[in-house]
Amino acid sequence: MPELPEVEVVRRGLERWVRGRVVARAEVLHPRAIRRHVPGAEEFAAQLKGRTIGTAERRGKYLWLPLDGTDAILAHLGMSGQLLVVEPDTALEKHLRIRITFADGGPDLRFVDQRTFGHVLVTPLAEAGGRQVPEPITHIAADPFEEHFDEALFARRLRARRTEIKRALLNQSLISGVGNIYADEALWRARLHGTRPAGALTGPKISQLVGAAREVMTEALAQGGTSFDSLYVNVNGESGYFERSLAVYGRRDEPCPRCGAPIVRESFMNRSSYSCPRCQPRPRETAA
């Protein structure tokens, strides 16, 4: 699933190509794509017609396009969602779910989603975490790149949790935008095993971990994000290439870039965790 850097790459593309444009028509080609827009496809299209799109925004893995008023188009890409900007005469994609055309006759905005796990809806905005965000995501915590991200508050809430540190990092109500890939990479940079108790971390160690998460996601953003297959692309259909720079994720049995020990893979919440057994030793209680 796309994480913060991949979604930010898409957001920047949307800001460049659709900001200030007036919607001529919205067409829903698959009802599942707007399953969370309860009023349905006709009302979705009616809500968008004639509206002007503002500056694209993001919180964690969610992005939205403010409309002229107090609402916005909210999108979550899911496992395979793509927001593409393409010329109107381009052939329709096989898995095209939503097509938005504009009054200026310029490039379309198309939502393509092979697996149809992503979704799009029009929703009111509400105050949350110091800014206006779409109502359905008011429970989502600020991400590490937001101006209003409160590291001290995050540290207090983290230490109050009786859970492992990796599980806490993936909890979007604590900190948003960090997924499985960047959690493993941040933990490696901070020399922490994912099973370390979150409540046992010191303030400086938490600060180091947050810094590591910011650092690795900044580097990923500079390289267009991480693409393991053709499903994650930017608005122009181009894949990112940070996968080449990952230190541990997906590197089972390869040497750790820091110490040379073989990277290990462990099962984690129906997924995989990757770590260095030397740089990131398991806590004694979990090692047993």
Side-chain angles (χ1 to χ4, degrees):
M1 182 178 292
E3 301 180 28
L4 186 155
E6 292 76 43
V7 177
E8 175 62 14
V9 168
V10 174
R11 187 204 67 79
R12 292 181 181 184
L14 293 175
E15 180 175 350
R16 176 182 178 186
W17 292 104
V18 304
R19 181 177 59 178
R21 300 178 69 195
V22 177
V23 175
R25 183 186 181 205
E27 182 180 6
V28 177
L29 290 91
H30 196 301
R32 184 168 166 78
I34 60 156
R35 61 191 179 278
R36 300 195 183 185
H37 187 88
V38 178
E42 289 187 9
E43 200 272 351
F44 176 85
Q47 282 264 34
L48 294 184
K49 186 175 181 179
R51 306 290 296 279
T52 300
I53 293 180
T55 300
E57 299 192 47
R58 178 193 53 73
R59 168 164 281 181
K61 304 174 189 178
Y62 287 87
L63 59 84
W64 64 95
L65 297 170
L67 300 169
D68 47 356
T70 58
D71 52 3
I73 306 169
L74 173 65
H76 190 280
L77 300 179
M79 295 291 290
S80 59
Q82 302 169 349
L83 282 166
L84 305 177
V85 176
V86 297
E87 292 299 325
D89 58 356
T90 303
L92 300 184
E93 296 79 2
K94 179 179 180 181
H95 301 291
L96 178 62
R97 308 307 185 195
I98 299 172
R99 181 186 185 188
I100 297 175
T101 59
F102 294 92
D104 58 15
D108 292 351
L109 176 60
R110 300 183 183 181
F111 181 61
V112 178
D113 192 358
Q114 178 178 324
R115 299 174 184 170
T116 329
F117 291 155
H119 62 269
V120 179
L121 68 154
V122 179
T123 178
L125 297 170
E127 179 74 20
R131 61 187 291 206
Q132 291 285 309
V133 304
E135 281 187 353
I137 65 166
T138 53
H139 66 290
I140 300 293
D143 68 57
F145 291 95
E146 289 189 47
E147 178 184 354
H148 298 287
F149 178 75
D150 188 333
E151 188 172 314
L153 175 61
F154 168 67
R156 290 196 299 272
R157 296 181 66 193
L158 182 67
R159 284 198 294 262
R161 296 277 175 153
R162 301 184 63 180
T163 188
E164 300 170 352
I165 182 56
K166 183 172 179 180
R167 289 178 181 270
L169 280 179
L170 299 182
N171 185 335
Q172 302 298 296
S173 67
L174 283 177
I175 184 171
S176 66
V178 183
N180 203 39
I181 296 173
Y182 298 113
D184 280 358
E185 293 295 307
L187 289 165
W188 177 79
R189 293 186 182 212
R191 297 176 180 259
L192 287 168
H193 194 277
T195 59
R196 284 278 296 272
L201 296 184
T202 64
K205 200 63 179 178
I206 293 172
S207 183
Q208 181 187 7
L209 179 59
V210 172
R214 282 199 190 100
E215 181 181 71
V216 69
M217 290 193 289
T218 297
E219 293 173 12
L221 181 56
Q223 297 183 41
T226 300
S227 299
F228 284 105
D229 55 34
S230 61
L231 295 181
Y232 162 67
V233 294
N234 64 18
V235 296
N236 298 313
E238 301 164 338
S239 297
Y241 51 93
F242 189 67
E243 186 272 337
R244 307 171 193 170
S245 302
L246 295 172
V248 291
Y249 188 87
R251 305 295 195 206
R252 182 179 183 178
D253 295 331
E254 295 182 26
C256 169
R258 190 163 47 213
C259 74
I263 299 300
V264 298
R265 173 194 172 278
E266 299 171 278
S267 295
F268 173 78
M269 296 173 62
N270 296 319
R271 289 176 280 184
S272 298
S273 279
Y274 296 88
S275 62
C276 172
R278 186 178 300 162
C279 296
Q280 302 166 266
R282 273 180 164 270
R284 291 180 181 177
E285 57 270 27
T286 59

